[in-house]
Amino acid sequence: MTDEAPPKLEWRGVKKRFQGRVVLDGLDLAVPRGRSLVIIGGSGQGKSVTIKIAIGLLRPDAGEVRVDGRDVTRLRGAERRDLSREFGMLFQSAALFDSLTVWENVAFRLLNADRVPRAEARARALEALSRVGLGPNVAQQSPGELSGGMQKRVGLARAVVSQPEIIFFDEPTTGLDPITADVINDLIVEQVRRLGCTAVSITHDMASARKIADEIAMLHEGRIVWRGAAADIDRSGNPYVEQFINGRADGPIKGAV
Ligand SMILES: Nc1ncnc2c1ncn2[C@@H]1O[C@H](COP(=O)(O)OP(=O)(O)OP(=O)(O)O)[C@@H](O)[C@H]1O
Ligand SMILES: [Mg+2]
């Protein structure tokens, strides 16, 4: 990347409050093209809101979101749908529809927004499933029949099926045992590399953050309080980061009950 190229994705001065409570307080964060950024931070600090604002599920009260240097905050209709094609998302809860089969879940956007013919959509879903280690027999099942780890794989297949330029992972390993979590981390790294996409992930899980991040940013009280290379996280010299990664009750972060 040259110095002049705009970041692939950028939040500029983003503010968001709910019922008078400030969640994001002028968030500034940029992700260069092809890099993997992990956002860490305590529960309720606005990590999921940050991603939802980027993909247009929520609107900021102030500030803007830029993709390739273009302000996309106020896009609607066809322009918003076109932009959505650039995004892939793995939701915090796998958010799969139990009324649909696994492959229909993976192909949901292809079938509904992109109007891809059913046979082609199915073929693409099966290919995405095979990339995350799931065979055609699983494709016919209902998501409710699968283990948590398999559901995450399905969510991952759905996130990559349309070959997005920017991919978001919200808590991809929460609720999984450490070995399954590591398999998911490996799959994330492999898919992001294969697609050459820009990745933004959220996690509480520092093993996951270390594995999937090029850079780590810590969100606290609506702003980024530290950002640096993943390799530097253990010598951040930042009291918020140190308290968070060591899981200490004592420090500048006041625990919620
Ligand atoms: N649609 C909404 N309406 C009202 N309040 C909301 C909404 N979405 C989020 N919030 C509030 O905003 C705050 C931040 O929520 P968010 O889900 O972003 O937290 P988080 O950092 O992702 O936490 P966790 O680690 O628990 O997932 C919370 O207090 C939450 O209750
Ligand atoms: Mg969240």
Side-chain angles (χ1 to χ4, degrees), residues 42-57:
S43 200
Q45 291 295 323
K47 304 181 302 297
S48 294
V49 167
T50 296
I51 284 188
K52 286 176 183 164
I53 285 176
I55 64 176
L57 274 180

Side-chain angles (χ1 to χ4, degrees), residues 81-188:
R81 278 197 298 281
D82 287 347
L83 178 71
S84 298
R85 287 205 181 88
E86 291 191 26
F87 297 150
M89 170 90 198
L90 176 63
F91 285 93
Q92 183 160 4
S93 56
L96 302 170
F97 300 110
D98 261 336
S99 57
L100 303 176
T101 63
V102 163
W103 83 260
E104 287 168 331
N105 269 279
V106 172
F108 190 81
R109 187 155 86 196
L110 303 180
L111 290 167
N112 292 284
D114 299 349
R115 308 241 172 255
V116 173
R118 206 167 157 82
E120 183 191 333
R122 185 167 186 279
R124 285 172 63 182
L126 287 176
E127 196 213 329
L129 285 163
S130 77
R131 289 191 188 280
V132 298
L134 298 178
N137 49 332
V138 174
Q140 288 305 129
Q141 286 182 269
S142 156
E145 299 172 56
L146 307 180
S147 68
M150 283 166 96
Q151 290 184 5
K152 290 286 189 187
R153 288 182 195 242
V154 175
L156 180 56
R158 182 172 60 182
V160 301
V161 72
S162 50
Q163 309 207 319
E165 294 187 16
I166 306 177
I167 191 158
F168 298 93
F169 301 103
D170 193 348
E171 302 281 1
T173 58
T174 300
L176 303 179
D177 69 75
I179 297 168
T180 307
D182 204 44
V183 172
I184 297 292
N185 289 333
D186 285 339
L187 285 171
I188 286 174

